[in-house]
């Protein structure tokens, strides 16, 4: 079906181009595409080689657009009315596809997963927007029984992958609305990992150095990790798709964490989660929690450390080493000590990236140091983000001078400037 051409001045609202050679990228698909009437086919190897490159070149402007970006690009490439010679027209076609996909009717789904915990519930259920996370629903509950019965259909595939059982782990269910099973998994997966990020943040922030760590088998810092299997179900418990998601080479051999006072932790988790949901910078902090959680889920110490450095870059709004260090020290009472630790982490990060050096022998200490810097920034934002109108104001706050005399003098000058500016 033919489409009306868009005005030349029209701009895509949901996607933008990164600084890349867009004409070159689109030409690769034009060369690989064969148009027969309204049908398109591609040279498979060329398509799959260049598709990730094109995906990187297209920036999604919202989280929802990011989830649907690949589908929008794929549909636009397969549209015979798109010539692949006009970069803006291609983005506008992605925009149109997003509008179609985002207006689909949503359906109720349930994610089944497990976490590496056994003990008193930290919450019964907790919400993130319209999504609800149910921690440790009763094994005798009607829904969980139906879910586990429906999983029998994938048992042979699970056995062929040699996935361990999750009988000794705590089940978690996420109730949500989504466009389809794949969208449900992506949305619920992020939701549960943000919540795990907060729980692990509270646990890791009280962690002390293990002087015998070198004698232990390498392990992720996070104590609350995902189990080996995840499935998506309809609200009646039946499988929404026979596709299932699993953790490759899943391993977890540390004892389940025991809280000295589970009721205190329960109240603390609920209080911090409520503060996060009501936070004006919720989206920014939630993204940082997601990155934090997944970085510290990894057993590989070097990969985990590089992930944590990226968290620090996100939290300080810069990838410039000196600026990152000077910004993060503003959040600590002992900036001189913190600066030396941050400089040491910067050097270790560079060694990990540019040489064969590894942090594995000192991983416990180095990861704890990186976690200390990141967790202070996350806690600060959850508590104080309302003081700032924009994220740039937060970054400006981190750029304020540490010297109190200089700070007071700058305030005096600013007050004088306001009076001078508003003089009669």
């Amino acid at each position: 079906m033919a489409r009306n051409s868009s005005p030349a001045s029209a701009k895509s609202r949901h996607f933008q181009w990164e600084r890349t050679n867009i004409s070159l990228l689109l030409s690769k698909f034009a060369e690989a595409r064969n148009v027969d009437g309204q049908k398109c086919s591609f040279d498979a190897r060329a398509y799959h080689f260049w598709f990730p490159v094109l995906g990187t070149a297209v920036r999604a402007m919202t989280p929802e657009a990011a989830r649907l970006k690949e589908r929008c690009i794929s549909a636009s490439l397969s549209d015979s009315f798109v010539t692949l010679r006009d970069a803006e027209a291609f983005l506008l076609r992605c925009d149109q596809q997003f509008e179609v996909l985002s207006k689909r009717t949503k359906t109720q789904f349930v994610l089944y997963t497990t976490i590496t915990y056994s003990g008193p519930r930290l919450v019964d259920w907790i919400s993130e927007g319209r999504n609800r996370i149910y921690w440790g629903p009763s094994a005798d509950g009607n829904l969980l029984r139906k879910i586990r019965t429906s999983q029998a259909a994938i048992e042979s595939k699970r056995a062929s992958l040699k996935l361990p059982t999750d009988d000794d782990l705590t089940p978690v269910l996420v109730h949500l609305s989504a466009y389809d099973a794949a969208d449900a998994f992506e949305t619920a997966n992020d939701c549960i990992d943000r919540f795990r990020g907060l729980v692990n943040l509270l646990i890791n922030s009280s962690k002390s150095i293990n002087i015998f760590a070198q004698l232990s088998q390498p392990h992720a810092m996070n104590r609350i990790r995902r189990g080996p299997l995840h499935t998506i179900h309809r609200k009646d418990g039946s499988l929404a798709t026979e596709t299932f998601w699993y953790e490759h080479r899943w391993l977890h051999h540390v004892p389940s964490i025991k809280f000295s006072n589970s009721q205190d932790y329960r109240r603390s988790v609920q209080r911090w989660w409520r503060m996060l949901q009501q936070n004006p910078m919720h989206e920014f902090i939630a993204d940082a929690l997601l990155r934090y959680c997944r970085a510290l889920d990894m057993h590989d110490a070097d990969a985990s450390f590089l992930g944590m450095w990226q968290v620090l870059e996100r939290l300080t709004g810069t990838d410039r080493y000196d600026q990152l260090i000077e910004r993060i020290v503003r959040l600590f009472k002992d900036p001189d000590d913190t600066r030396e630790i941050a400089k040491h982490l910067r050097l270790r990060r560079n060694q990990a990236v540019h040489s064969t050096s590894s942090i594995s022998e000192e991983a416990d200490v180095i990861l704890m140091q990186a976690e200390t810097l990141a967790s202070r920034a996350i806690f600060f934002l959850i508590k104080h983000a309302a003081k700032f109108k924009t994220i740039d104001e937060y970054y400006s706050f981190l750029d304020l001078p540490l010297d109190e005399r200089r700070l007071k003098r700058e305030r005096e000058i600013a007050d004088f400037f306001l009076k001078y500016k508003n003089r009669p």
Side-chain angles (χ1 to χ4, degrees), residues 85-96:
R85 293 188 179 89
D86 186 332
E88 290 308 315
F90 180 81
L91 274 194
L92 286 172
R93 180 66 188 92
C94 290
D95 238 37
Q96 292 169 355

Side-chain angles (χ1 to χ4, degrees), residues 399-414:
D399 289 331
L400 290 172
L402 286 170
D403 186 284
E404 289 190 19
R405 288 181 298 179
R406 180 182 165 192
L407 192 61
K408 290 177 180 177
R409 181 57 184 155
E410 287 188 1
R411 185 170 60 187
E412 290 172 357
I413 293 172

Side-chain angles (χ1 to χ4, degrees), residues 131-323:
N131 305 330
R132 280 195 174 189
I133 303 170
Y134 288 83
W135 177 300
S138 171
D140 298 325
N142 188 44
L143 179 58
L144 188 56
R145 281 192 294 104
K146 289 182 177 179
I147 284 174
R148 285 182 165 159
T149 298
S150 73
Q151 288 176 341
I154 62 171
E155 194 56 41
S156 61
K157 295 179 182 177
R158 178 174 180 161
S160 68
L161 292 167
K162 298 181 180 179
L163 295 182
T165 63
D166 52 17
D167 298 336
D168 57 340
L169 304 179
T170 296
V172 172
L173 304 179
V174 182
H175 291 241
L176 73 158
S177 295
Y179 300 119
D180 52 38
D183 181 51
F185 175 75
E186 293 297 328
T187 304
N189 190 47
D190 288 354
C191 179
I192 188 64
D193 282 358
R194 281 188 290 267
F195 181 62
R196 284 195 311 112
L198 180 69
V199 176
N200 281 306
L201 183 77
L202 294 170
I203 296 170
N204 293 336
S205 61
S206 59
K207 184 179 183 288
S208 59
I209 294 175
N210 176 12
I211 61 174
F212 301 107
Q214 292 186 29
L215 305 177
S216 306
Q217 188 173 349
H219 201 278
M221 177 180 281
N222 283 344
R223 300 293 294 275
I224 307 294
R225 299 175 62 236
R226 296 282 287 281
L229 177 74
H230 326 296
T231 50
I232 291 292
H233 302 258
R234 300 182 184 90
K235 63 180 181 180
D236 63 359
S238 61
L239 282 173
T241 173
E242 290 195 4
T243 299
F244 61 92
W245 293 261
Y246 63 97
E247 306 298 324
H248 298 269
R249 298 181 295 278
W250 189 83
L251 177 69
H252 189 86
H253 55 254
V254 296
S256 181
I257 190 167
K258 298 187 185 303
F259 300 106
S260 56
N261 189 324
S262 60
Q263 286 301 314
D264 278 352
Y265 254 91
R266 181 186 178 98
R267 286 189 290 269
S268 183
V269 166
Q270 291 175 330
R271 183 177 72 253
W272 283 102
W273 187 253
R274 185 168 56 252
M275 291 169 64
L276 172 62
Q277 300 311 306
Q278 297 171 350
N279 199 292
M281 291 189 189
H282 170 267
E283 188 174 311
F284 178 82
I285 303 169
D287 176 73
L289 274 175
L290 198 61
R291 294 165 185 258
Y292 169 95
C293 181
R294 291 174 180 171
L296 296 180
D297 268 349
M298 293 185 278
H299 293 304
D300 185 302
D302 292 299
S304 188
F305 176 49
L306 293 178
M308 285 303 296
W309 187 264
Q310 291 171 354
V311 174
L312 289 172
E313 290 179 337
R314 177 65 170 158
L315 289 166
T316 57
T318 182
D319 58 3
R320 293 166 52 194
Y321 298 146
D322 292 341
Q323 187 177 34

